[in-house]
Amino acid sequence: MLKEIEIQNFRCFEQIKIYGFERVNLIGGKNNAGKTALLEALFLNFAPEASSLGMLRELRREPDKAIEAMPDRAWDNLFYEVKKDRFIVIIGKDDNNNTDRVQIQLETNSVRYKIIFEFIRNEDQSTWSSTKLHPGGLMNYRISIDEVPIIPSFIRISGKKLTEAYDNARLDDKDSEVLKAFQILDPTIESVESFSIGEPTLYLRRKGEKRLPLSLFGDAINRVAEIILKLVNSEHKILLIDEIENGIHYKNQREFWRVLFRLAVELDTQIFATTHSLEMLQAFADVGLKPDQECSSAYFELAKKPKTNQIIGIRRDLETLSYAIEHQKGVRGE
């Protein structure tokens, strides 16, 4: 399980080190405080592959044609203040003191621009993988959003992919978790079924009603389906969720956190999520502070230093977080 991460020259981070990650981690802060960038750094730490870079472009909705038109600027957004002469360094350390180091540099000459990845494992600094990638080479490293352990705030996987994910969960006898999560949002839902008539589709049935396709049940149901299915099917032992509150009514957030806390322990998976929502913060603190809660959790606040504008990460224990919310002492980087 990851315990700390250090990031240098990546996105909005000149240099930041964050300690004390737990089984379930919630990240808050103002807009442009680096919440999504932190998830991206975590993603590169857990999936140090050329395909991960292509996925980051997709998550940022950066068009492929921009690479073709301006290859010399293809990597600008990766580097802090476009300082492409410096390395990007991401160092993660787990609870056994194993260290993974991702190092990214831009190599240029008068003709071509290419990015070099080095992935280094453990303290002996032995390189276990290195990749040189030209801007146009991204086209050869395509992966689908449903194949990676990250859930963006705005991209949704297709109904077909959700149905395939549900069938995988059913093979492992984990499909009941999907129904339990749906019933948090709508207690009248009594069954979930997959059908492959035309195109694979998930159907839900409310008590006393006919089956209806999942797409008719609104954004919250679809988002919860994606989160739970990625969690129960994950082979990565990590799940990254951007803006976890999207679509989930505040009255259902505590029960939803209870499900995530339980599954994180049962599936030995570490969860990192970001939020803008005060209600989601309160729900997280309430569930984490329950006396019978076995899942370790922590809240991290990203904020900018007033004088230097450098982003820092502050860990708040849940008692402090709950007190600050209750007494309006300022959270989310305020």
Side-chain angles (χ1 to χ4, degrees), residues 247-265:
I248 302 175
H249 194 272
Y250 75 93
K251 289 185 178 180
N252 299 320
Q253 290 171 358
R254 285 172 179 78
E255 287 302 319
F256 188 56
W257 276 121
R258 288 189 183 96
V259 170
L260 295 184
F261 277 47
R262 175 177 59 80
L263 288 177
V265 173

Side-chain angles (χ1 to χ4, degrees), residues 19-27 261 271 284 295-300 315-318 321:
Y19 303 86
F21 292 133
E22 299 291 351
R23 175 68 64 187
V24 179
N25 305 276
L26 187 60
I27 302 153
F261 277 47
I271 297 175
F284 177 80
C295 180
S296 63
S297 58
Y299 171 66
F300 297 85
R315 173 175 165 145
R316 289 179 182 255
D317 62 67
L318 298 191
L321 173 62

Side-chain angles (χ1 to χ4, degrees), residues 10-290:
F10 178 71
R11 297 293 199 198
C12 56
F13 299 120
E14 181 178 17
Q15 182 163 355
I16 188 172
K17 193 167 186 178
I18 304 176
Y19 303 86
F21 292 133
E22 299 291 351
R23 175 68 64 187
V24 179
N25 305 276
L26 187 60
I27 302 153
K30 289 183 177 180
N31 290 335
N32 301 315
K35 297 185 296 297
T36 300
L38 177 56
L39 291 188
E40 291 178 328
L42 290 163
F43 178 50
L44 288 174
N45 178 74
F46 280 91
E49 303 166 1
S51 57
S52 298
L53 184 62
M55 178 53 63
L56 294 191
R57 291 191 64 88
E58 183 176 340
L59 294 176
R60 294 279 179 168
R61 293 186 281 193
E62 298 176 1
D64 294 336
K65 290 185 178 179
I67 299 177
E68 300 170 5
M70 298 180 293
D72 59 320
R73 299 184 182 179
W75 314 107
D76 287 5
N77 294 335
L78 283 180
F79 295 84
Y80 174 75
E81 293 185 348
V82 199
K83 294 178 179 177
K84 296 185 285 187
D85 58 326
R86 302 181 184 178
F87 289 177
I88 291 171
V89 178
I90 301 170
I91 303 171
K93 183 178 287 188
D94 67 17
D95 47 6
N96 293 317
N97 286 323
N98 294 315
T99 300
D100 290 338
R101 177 187 178 100
V102 178
Q103 186 167 289
I104 304 172
Q105 69 180 103
L106 191 66
E107 182 179 282
T108 64
N109 57 39
S110 58
V111 180
R112 296 193 174 196
Y113 295 78
K114 57 188 173 182
I115 198 156
I116 302 173
F117 292 85
E118 288 187 312
F119 315 128
I120 303 171
R121 170 61 55 86
N122 292 329
E123 298 296 344
D124 62 2
Q125 299 294 285
S126 58
T127 302
W128 56 279
S129 180
S130 181
T131 303
K132 293 185 178 181
L133 185 63
H134 297 286
L138 273 177
M139 312 309 174
N140 300 321
Y141 290 93
R142 287 295 185 193
I143 53 176
S144 173
I145 189 69
D146 60 287
E147 297 175 18
V148 296
I150 186 167
I151 299 177
S153 61
F154 57 89
I155 299 175
R156 297 289 176 267
I157 65 174
S158 68
K160 178 182 177 181
K161 292 295 185 181
L162 274 179
T163 305
E164 291 173 357
Y166 178 78
D167 286 341
N168 287 334
R170 187 167 58 169
L171 281 174
D172 292 332
D173 294 321
K174 296 175 182 174
D175 52 305
S176 62
E177 297 295 347
V178 179
L179 178 59
K180 290 175 186 176
F182 286 169
Q183 289 173 336
I184 292 172
L185 306 182
D186 186 345
T188 67
I189 295 173
E190 62 180 11
S191 68
V192 184
E193 300 168 282
S194 62
F195 292 91
S196 295
I197 302 171
E199 181 175 292
T201 305
L202 281 180
Y203 281 79
L204 311 185
R205 188 206 294 269
R206 290 191 179 106
K207 293 177 182 177
E209 297 182 6
K210 293 183 178 180
R211 300 181 182 91
L212 292 173
L214 177 70
S215 59
L216 298 182
F217 282 78
D219 186 62
I221 288 283
N222 282 264
R223 184 161 172 81
V224 165
E226 183 177 1
I227 291 172
I228 297 300
L229 286 170
K230 280 223 174 168
L231 186 54
V232 300
N233 288 332
S234 176
E235 298 176 357
H236 304 276
K237 298 302 180 182
I238 183 175
L239 183 62
L240 309 168
I241 310 168
D242 202 12
E243 296 183 17
I244 189 172
E245 71 274 9
N246 284 359
I248 302 175
H249 194 272
Y250 75 93
K251 289 185 178 180
N252 299 320
Q253 290 171 358
R254 285 172 179 78
E255 287 302 319
F256 188 56
W257 276 121
R258 288 189 183 96
V259 170
L260 295 184
F261 277 47
R262 175 177 59 80
L263 288 177
V265 173
E266 291 177 4
L267 302 172
D268 188 24
T269 297
Q270 193 171 17
I271 297 175
F272 295 85
T274 71
T275 187
H276 289 106
S277 166
L278 194 62
E279 291 85 2
M280 187 59 87
L281 285 174
Q282 184 68 70
F284 177 80
D286 289 347
V287 174
L289 288 170
K290 290 289 184 183

